[in-house]
Amino acid sequence: MHWLAYMITRFLVKLILGAVSKTHVLHRERTWLPGGWLLVSNHISHFDPPFLTATTHRKIDWMATRELYHPWPVGVWMHAVDTFPVDREKAADRAATRETLERLKRGRVVGIFPEGGICDGKNSVLEGAPLKPGLAGLAQLSGAPVVPCVLIGADQLYTHRNWIPFRRSRAWIAFGEPLYFEGDGKEARAAFEMRLAESLRALYAELKERFQLTEWDLPQPPARRKGRV
């Protein structure tokens, strides 16, 4: 039942996004990685999970903030496509951590946005901001590889006119080489998070250079995309 819900959702997402956005993808083949692993991406909009779900070769179980599970019909659908909630108000949500580790152990792919919310500009890891702590601990405890990912352009769909069919807003996605946790202790976790941040920034630079992205292509606050500022 869950697999059917996911396949229907993925088909509809690809159909809708294909009508309103042209997506360019670099290194998609890296998402064929077998077994359990973590997909770790920057976070620029509420549309990020659909873009990545439609792009990766593997099915993604998203870790999603608990506020997205209301009203209840949305919660039912979220559970049906194998997302699971995390409480961002907690410094460490042990239930979400246990669920992540269990799914990785079963060979699933778990998607995480480690910035802790939608970020752009200097608030984003892409521009030098630190990642929220915790990701390195998951990599250490699970032994699972981490595949970094950078997504640009999904926030263009905050501009209402971009939902006109075939207007074709644009999005750009790049997947990095898998990273593996090495060592032990606090210093090893800090080093891993630094490696991850550097990988994300390198992918960001690659996208900007490859596609000659303009300042307006880069992540903007949702209010600016909506024309409110």
Side-chain angles (χ1 to χ4, degrees):
M1 182 64 183
H2 285 220
W3 185 257
L4 178 61
Y6 165 78
M7 292 302 294
I8 292 173
T9 298
R10 191 171 191 267
F11 171 78
L12 292 174
V13 163
K14 293 184 74 170
L15 185 68
I16 294 168
L17 292 181
V20 300
S21 180
K22 182 173 179 58
T23 305
H24 305 270
V25 184
L26 296 181
H27 317 305
R28 191 199 309 257
E29 71 280 359
R30 292 170 177 168
T31 66
W32 276 123
L33 189 67
W37 47 274
L38 290 158
L39 177 68
V40 175
S41 175
N42 66 309
H43 198 13
I44 59 174
S45 77
H46 294 87
F47 311 110
D48 298 349
F51 270 98
L52 296 177
T53 294
T55 303
T56 56
H57 289 303
R58 294 282 305 277
K59 178 182 180 295
I60 305 171
D61 294 358
W62 288 104
M63 178 190 288
T65 180
R66 64 176 183 172
E67 289 82 5
L68 294 178
Y69 288 78
H70 302 284
W72 72 264
V74 176
V76 170
W77 171 75
M78 294 280 280
H79 285 295
V81 294
D82 290 320
T83 70
F84 60 98
V86 61
D87 188 346
R88 293 191 302 183
E89 295 180 3
K90 294 181 179 179
D93 187 335
R94 291 195 176 99
T97 298
R98 287 194 299 269
E99 186 65 28
T100 300
L101 295 174
E102 177 59 30
R103 294 193 185 208
L104 291 172
K105 185 178 180 180
R106 300 200 318 258
R108 309 284 280 270
V109 178
V110 177
I112 297 178
F113 297 109
E115 292 176 298
I118 293 172
C119 296
D120 60 84
K122 293 183 178 180
N123 294 320
S124 172
V125 63
L126 302 183
E127 299 289 350
L131 294 168
K132 296 290 184 182
L135 194 284
L138 287 173
Q140 181 183 17
L141 290 170
S142 67
V146 173
V147 175
C149 172
V150 169
L151 168 60
I152 304 297
D155 57 327
Q156 291 183 21
L157 291 183
Y158 282 124
T159 302
H160 295 158
R161 65 176 179 273
N162 283 342
W163 285 93
I164 299 172
F166 307 108
R167 185 177 181 86
R168 309 293 279 183
S169 65
R170 295 191 298 164
W172 303 266
I173 301 172
F175 297 99
E177 294 281 4
L179 304 177
Y180 295 83
F181 189 91
E182 299 174 350
D184 193 18
K186 184 182 295 185
E187 291 184 0
R189 289 191 291 273
F192 182 84
E193 289 178 357
M194 185 176 297
R195 285 171 56 208
L196 175 58
E198 289 173 351
S199 180
L200 290 168
R201 290 166 194 148
L203 290 171
Y204 184 44
E206 183 179 5
L207 284 174
K208 288 195 291 184
E209 181 179 359
R210 174 74 175 271
F211 297 104
Q212 296 296 296
L213 303 185
T214 68
E215 189 67 27
W216 188 244
D217 293 326
L218 303 183
Q220 306 289 330
R224 184 175 298 167
R225 291 292 191 195
K226 294 174 183 177
R228 295 177 183 171
V229 295

